[in-house]
Amino acid sequence: EAQVTQNPRYLITVTGKKLTVTCSQNMNHEYMSWYRQDPGLGLRQIYYSMNVEVTDKGDVPEGYKVSRKEKRNFPLILESPSPNQTSLYFCASSCPSGGFCNEQFFGPGTRLTVL
Amino acid sequence: DAKTTQPPSMDCAEGRAANLPCNHSTISGNEYVYWYRQIHSQGPQYIIHGLKNNETNEMASLIITEDRKSSTLILPHATLRDTAVYYCIVRPGTASKLTFGTGTRLQVTL
């Protein structure tokens, strides 16, 4: 089944404790992206990647890091989480090799709470 | 990217057609209209997209006005499971990024 998976789905942590949220897709997509969703602010893009070893900042990149060492994986790293990073996070992928970038597939979301 | 305007909320009776409008008066010639929906706090789900012709798939129909300044997403027979926030997004065909607005919260009722 074509899908985007994220882990963990729920996470409660404390300020300053490094964490990684994993994202993996099995559709051979070139484009991957991370969004955060906050009440009243909608979904905002954090980082995106057009291909392996190619990443770029989205609209709200402060406090986050990403890497794209393999095509299928795009982990989101919070080196020193703070309470204002409490949010619902979504990973998405699109653009099959040689295909059109039409439909973007989203993961199920990771609900992060930073105390 | 062109900005879109959607009503914040709409109601629809189950079994009836749900017609969700979107205004995108500043759309450029190379920009497509995309619709996504988000059910509760799940990941957004792609519905349909179009450039200037009307489009239909198994989920919905997309009607784009001739001047392309507005469009309507039609769910022909709404069910309770269609209750969600619906997002209208315009973006160039070559771009990958989606810029989400606040969408329309559709409530389907018995």
Side-chain angles (χ1 to χ4, degrees), chain A residues 2-100:
Chain A
Q3 60 182 350
V4 178
T5 57
Q6 297 179 225
N7 282 293
R9 296 287 313 282
Y10 302 90
L11 179 61
I12 301 174
T13 188
V14 295
T15 299
K17 186 177 181 181
K18 180 179 179 180
L19 67 92
T20 299
V21 184
T22 64
C23 173
S24 182
Q25 50 93 6
N26 61 0
M27 296 166 279
N28 200 32
H29 283 168
E30 296 181 345
Y31 177 88
M32 296 186 75
S33 178
W34 276 102
Y35 296 84
R36 63 177 286 174
Q37 186 172 29
D38 303 289
L41 295 177
L43 284 104
R44 295 177 292 168
Q45 189 181 55
I46 303 170
Y47 268 95
Y48 66 96
S49 169
M50 296 298 294
N51 215 322
V52 176
E53 303 293 358
V54 180
T55 63
D56 211 344
K57 296 177 180 178
D59 299 318
V60 287
E62 294 77 23
Y64 304 94
K65 285 176 57 178
V66 292
S67 69
R68 188 91 181 272
K69 293 183 171 60
E70 305 166 283
K71 197 171 189 177
R72 64 184 292 126
N73 296 321
F74 191 45
L76 179 70
I77 303 156
L78 284 72
E79 295 268 5
S80 182
S82 61
N84 64 12
Q85 293 178 298
T86 293
S87 188
L88 179 59
Y89 292 86
F90 291 102
C91 180
S93 74
S94 183
C95 309
S97 292
F100 294 103

Side-chain angles (χ1 to χ4, degrees), chain B residues 33-54:
Chain B
V33 180
Y34 284 79
W35 283 84
Y36 281 74
R37 74 179 183 183
Q38 186 176 24
I39 297 173
H40 196 46
S41 293
Q42 298 176 21
Q45 176 189 23
Y46 165 86
I47 301 173
I48 199 168
H49 77 281
L51 181 62
K52 54 183 177 180
N53 297 321
N54 298 338

Side-chain angles (χ1 to χ4, degrees), chain B residues 2-108:
Chain B
K3 183 178 177 180
T4 62
T5 304
Q6 299 178 252
S9 64
M10 294 182 64
D11 292 329
C12 180
E14 190 176 34
R16 304 296 293 269
N19 297 285
L20 291 90
C22 180
N23 199 302
H24 31 79
S25 57
T26 59
I27 192 170
S28 300
N30 67 339
E31 288 183 313
Y32 286 72
V33 180
Y34 284 79
W35 283 84
Y36 281 74
R37 74 179 183 183
Q38 186 176 24
I39 297 173
H40 196 46
S41 293
Q42 298 176 21
Q45 176 189 23
Y46 165 86
I47 301 173
I48 199 168
H49 77 281
L51 181 62
K52 54 183 177 180
N53 297 321
N54 298 338
E55 302 287 346
T56 295
N57 63 20
E58 64 278 4
M59 287 182 68
S61 294
L62 173 61
I63 308 298
I64 303 174
T65 58
E66 195 168 338
D67 62 8
R68 302 209 324 123
K69 294 184 176 182
S70 65
S71 60
T72 301
L73 178 75
I74 301 172
L75 307 178
H77 305 287
T79 71
L80 296 177
R81 288 176 295 182
D82 292 320
T83 293
V85 178
Y86 288 77
Y87 297 97
C88 171
I89 302 166
V90 294
R91 69 162 219 219
T94 55
S96 302
K97 180 182 177 181
L98 295 173
T99 301
F100 288 83
T102 53
T104 296
R105 184 172 298 276
L106 175 68
Q107 180 69 52
V108 181

